[in-house]
Amino acid sequence: MCGIVGFAGKRPAAPFLLDGLSKLEYRGYDSAGIAVFCDKIRTVKSQGRLADLRAKVDTVSHLDGTLGIGHTRWATHGAPNDINSHPHTSMSGRVSIVHNGIIENYIPLKQELEAAGVVFRSETDTEVVAQLFDYYYEGDMIDTLIRVIGRIRGSYALGILCSDHPDQLVAVRKDSPLIIGLGEGENYIASDIPAVLEHTRDYYLLEDNEIAILKADSVELLDLNKNPVHHDVYTVTYDISAAEKGGYEYFMMKEIMEQPRAMRTCIGSRLTENGEVKLDKIRLTEEQIRNIGRIHIVACGSAWHAGIVAKYVIEEMTRIPVEVDLASEFRYRRPILSRNDLCITISQSGETADTLAALREARANDVHVLSIVNAVGSSIARESDDVLYTMAGPEIAVATTKGYSTQLAVIYLIALKFAAIRKTLKPARIQELTQALINLPDQIEALTKMDQRLREMATENADKNDVFIIGRGIDYGASMESSLKLKEISYVHSEAYAAGELKHGTISLIEDGSLVIAVATQDALYEKLVSNVKEIKARGAHVIAIVKEGCTDVEEVADEVIYIPSTDDLYTSSLTVIPMQLFAYYVAIARGCDVDKPRNLAKSVTVE
Ligand code: F6R
């Protein structure tokens, strides 16, 4: 969701800005722009893709300044057009701003400035910040910024240029991600690491309401009282190729194929030689684990789907009651929380606004928060009492794949650890489950090799407009994730349904040629699911069944069958999702969709 880059150096800024923005494309955007200080601040903006912006930049001469900011915009306030895209310039042309987030009180501020004679050009909330900054400006950018921050409400990561200070770029953030990249004779700001990775591996993470002043040879960090702030330098540990496509047509396919390796890292690093789970260095004590009364899992989207599966797994293994909430609901519903509850938040990006707010709500109620996060050093990771990283490496495609898989892996590890501490499973059963966990990466790898078969199946079914994915128990949870994959990247309407619920209404939608995918991996529920498939077949649907190896009798009722390797019933979601990711991917390809950047979607949802 919106990408910010900024550059203070000794070489032309524009090439860095355009390349940096291209590395942030995955976040989702519908217009883009850059501003470079030359003899004055020069701005080039364009609706559409970065290629359109590059074409415009090519027509502008003397865009060779060494200080600049850039932005990819995901429209919130006002249509995605040239005027509403960032950077926004103040009426005098002195101030230029890029912004990620939402200024909640922009309307009264705008009215106030208009009453003072300021003329606005765009419909955006961001322009208010540029105009307010210019309005308050009396020669010192930091004093001005502190005054502006005192007036604006909401979330923001801001990059600011002022033509009176041609050698400095100023940045600040609150509830919206921003990193400060540290180069040799140049420094950068960016919403995310891939934008600067070609130039540096070292960066600072700004905390809320900290200000960064970047010049070619220095970076200064200040708090709102203008006191210096010290931060450790983070160093990116993953290889730069991890953020590149590596020969695949789309990041999504690369990330699907990376799942076995990601799972091996995530699981392997948390098992001792004796096969015991060690959960990094978490603060949660064994005593606290023994006393947990209830677990609240809070997340959004696919991470919430991982939470649904987690409920089945954790309750079964530990007998701790688990509630799963959408973060956007949890934060406003006044949840009933007790001190010996545990809140688990799940987030790939670690920046999802609703999940972050839910986490704060839990902590404000003295509930210990353990977060499952992929992005190291992200806001959710930093604000949690404990964090378990999924170690999946950077995920660039908007639709999550390896992020989701590794979230499940961490959930299994948590459940095993808690079960061992609370003695809710016999040692032999823990051993059996641990071995099944160790086997998962190889089994996932075997499934990724079904690539071609899934391609054919998807191509044959790519004209379907409605797809129902049904399952019972854990399979219902897995169906939700499969359905979202199909919806978000191929734009095929799809619904996940608890198979037992079909008869209560939805079955009326099933007709000749409807596509139904039936997930039936749970031994205890298998026959019931097969009966559901028979009912659906009788109404003319085309049925693809996903079952465990050996369940060949389903071939008599389903039109096509996908077999997953045999695993413990508690872990099947990790396997059923693989063919469904591939199926969704190939349906999207067959329908000519931009797999990595689905329409209207953003990778990191940093606003409510
Ligand atoms: C779907 C998808 C989203 C995210 C959701 C939460 O493929 O990726 O539904 O799961 O936006 O994002 P994170 O995990 O970053 O909090």
Side-chain angles (χ1 to χ4, degrees):
M1 190 161 266
C2 297
I4 287 180
V5 288
F7 180 90
K10 295 170 185 164
R11 61 187 170 107
F16 169 88
L17 298 174
L18 291 168
D19 283 354
L21 289 179
S22 72
K23 302 284 178 353
L24 298 179
E25 275 192 289
Y26 72 91
R27 297 170 71 84
Y29 72 105
D30 33 44
S31 60
I34 60 170
V36 177
F37 181 81
C38 306
D39 46 333
K40 58 177 185 171
I41 296 172
R42 292 179 184 270
T43 306
V44 188
K45 314 202 270 191
S46 178
Q47 180 183 351
R49 311 312 287 175
L50 272 180
D52 302 309
L53 177 66
R54 279 183 193 273
K56 267 195 176 176
V57 167
D58 286 345
T59 65
V60 179
S61 51
H62 304 305
L63 202 67
D64 48 6
T66 60
L67 185 82
I69 47 179
H71 191 265
T72 42
R73 172 173 187 252
W74 189 84
T76 54
H77 294 64
N81 58 31
D82 287 8
I83 294 175
N84 288 333
S85 53
H86 302 211
H88 285 284
T89 311
S90 61
M91 197 170 69
S92 71
R94 181 164 54 181
V95 176
S96 179
I97 282 185
V98 286
H99 167 220
N100 185 5
I102 288 181
I103 306 300
E104 286 164 2
N105 59 336
Y106 83 104
I107 292 176
L109 288 174
K110 188 171 180 174
Q111 286 164 347
E112 187 182 318
L113 288 164
E114 280 176 333
V118 176
V119 178
F120 281 78
R121 269 172 245 135
S122 75
E123 300 157 81
T124 65
D125 52 336
T126 303
E127 192 186 346
V128 168
V129 185
Q131 303 286 16
L132 191 64
F133 195 99
D134 199 339
Y135 185 69
Y136 282 156
Y137 179 75
E138 287 175 342
D140 186 306
M141 283 182 80
I142 306 308
D143 288 341
T144 312
L145 181 55
I146 291 170
R147 228 174 137 192
V148 169
I149 289 171
R151 294 295 317 276
I152 57 178
R153 245 192 0 257
S155 58
Y156 43 84
L158 295 166
I160 309 166
L161 299 184
C162 173
S163 56
D164 286 356
H165 301 270
D167 64 338
Q168 82 176 20
L169 159 61
V170 172
V172 67
R173 64 151 254 170
K174 181 179 161 278
D175 295 339
S176 196
L178 196 70
I179 61 142
I180 312 293
L182 307 170
E184 298 269 323
E186 53 190 46
N187 294 298
Y188 328 95
I189 60 168
S191 303
D192 201 358
I193 293 160
V196 300
L197 206 47
E198 239 174 73
H199 309 276
T200 185
R201 290 174 163 272
D202 295 337
Y203 64 97
Y204 289 133
L205 285 165
L206 275 192
E207 297 287 350
D208 276 358
N209 283 328
E210 285 176 357
I211 296 170
I213 306 161
L214 290 86
K215 298 187 177 172
D217 290 311
S218 66
V219 171
E220 208 183 333
L221 305 180
L222 301 176
D223 65 18
L224 289 186
N225 296 316
K226 293 182 44 177
N227 297 316
V229 172
H230 176 77
H231 279 308
D232 290 340
V233 176
Y234 278 79
T235 300
V236 179
T237 48
Y238 56 78
D239 195 81
I240 190 163
S241 63
E244 311 259 322
K245 269 191 223 159
Y248 287 97
E249 193 182 353
Y250 286 102
F251 276 110
M252 183 173 172
M253 183 51 94
K254 175 178 175 252
E255 289 161 6
I256 290 174
M257 294 300 169
E258 280 174 351
Q259 290 178 105
R261 188 168 50 81
M263 292 288 281
R264 276 182 203 114
T265 312
C266 178
I267 297 165
S269 61
R270 287 171 173 130
L271 290 178
T272 65
E273 277 174 14
N274 314 329
E276 270 172 38
V277 175
K278 55 173 174 23
L279 287 185
D280 310 2
K281 287 199 184 86
I282 59 169
R283 281 178 245 182
L284 195 68
T285 62
E286 293 203 0
E287 173 75 8
Q288 277 175 298
I289 293 170
R290 271 190 288 274
N291 289 329
I292 293 172
R294 183 172 297 273
I295 293 177
H296 304 265
I297 298 182
V298 190
C300 302
S302 294
W304 178 69
H305 296 155
I308 306 269
V309 172
K311 176 179 168 70
Y312 290 99
V313 175
I314 296 175
E315 286 190 343
E316 178 64 31
M317 286 200 208
T318 72
R319 307 313 293 157
I320 304 172
V322 178
E323 281 180 22
V324 191
D325 268 272
L326 289 163
S328 52
E329 295 294 319
F330 181 88
R331 63 183 290 190
Y332 293 118
R333 80 166 168 83
R334 294 216 301 137
I336 300 166
L337 301 166
S338 308
R339 281 217 174 151
N340 64 345
D341 288 355
L342 173 70
C343 174
I344 300 181
T345 73
I346 310 176
S347 175
Q348 187 286 128
S349 64
E351 298 293 348
T352 302
D354 283 321
T355 311
L356 186 58
L359 174 163
R360 289 175 180 163
E361 172 73 20
R363 293 202 71 204
N365 282 277
D366 290 329
V367 172
H368 191 99
V369 176
L370 166 67
S371 291
I372 301 173
V373 175
N374 192 35
V376 176
S378 54
S379 304
I380 292 175
R382 283 182 290 153
E383 291 197 28
S384 302
D385 296 293
D386 284 313
V387 54
L388 291 171
Y389 285 111
T390 50
M391 303 181 195
E395 192 177 62
I396 309 289
V398 163
T400 185
T401 51
K402 61 177 182 173
Y404 170 82
S405 286
T406 49
Q407 285 162 358
L408 288 185
V410 175
I411 285 157
Y412 303 153
L413 288 160
I414 292 174
L416 278 169
K417 183 75 186 175
F418 285 15
I421 291 171
R422 292 170 68 105
K423 299 194 178 8
T424 43
L425 293 178
K426 298 214 165 81
R429 175 72 178 131
I430 291 188
Q431 231 174 11
E432 188 179 75
L433 281 161
T434 308
Q435 189 51 52
L437 184 59
I438 293 168
N439 295 344
L440 272 182
D442 287 349
Q443 295 177 321
I444 290 175
E445 189 155 6
L447 285 165
T448 59
K449 299 203 168 113
M450 289 177 59
D451 187 28
Q452 275 320 307
R453 175 149 181 245
L454 266 307
R455 176 177 213 140
E456 283 157 27
M457 218 180 244
T459 313
E460 278 160 24
N461 287 291
D463 60 342
K464 297 283 190 297
N465 289 322
D466 298 289
V467 178
F468 296 90
I469 307 182
I470 61 168
R472 287 169 180 258
I474 276 190
D475 288 338
Y476 173 43
S479 300
M480 288 185 191
E481 174 57 9
S482 301
S483 170
L484 181 62
K485 285 283 98 55
L486 200 57
K487 274 187 271 234
E488 65 183 334
I489 61 167
S490 68
Y491 317 143
V492 172
H493 166 246
S494 155
E495 279 189 48
Y497 237 80
E501 264 297 294
L502 270 187
K503 284 204 256 318
H504 300 282
T506 309
I507 201 162
S508 64
L509 292 171
I510 308 281
E511 55 185 12
D512 247 0
S514 300
L515 176 60
V516 178
I517 299 174
V519 188
T521 70
Q522 303 296 295
D523 290 345
L525 301 167
Y526 176 74
E527 283 174 2
K528 294 190 190 310
L529 216 283
V530 169
S531 304
N532 293 137
V533 170
K534 283 185 185 150
E535 290 156 10
I536 292 160
K537 273 304 299 170
R539 280 148 186 95
H542 181 81
V543 176
I544 299 175
I546 303 183
V547 297
K548 281 201 286 204
E549 260 166 15
C551 296
T552 47
D553 52 333
V554 79
E555 287 180 22
E556 283 169 31
V557 284
D559 298 284
E560 296 172 85
V561 182
I562 297 170
Y563 291 102
I564 60 160
S566 183
T567 184
D568 196 280
D569 278 11
L570 291 173
Y571 297 155
T572 55
S573 306
S574 292
L575 301 182
T576 50
V577 77
I578 307 296
M580 284 310 300
Q581 291 168 348
L582 289 165
F583 183 80
Y585 176 90
Y586 283 121
V587 170
I589 294 282
R591 292 168 73 103
C593 303
D594 184 346
V595 176
D596 281 346
K597 297 186 276 291
R599 68 183 179 209
N600 306 337
L601 290 180
K603 178 68 181 163
S604 177
V605 184
T606 50
V607 294
E608 283 193 50

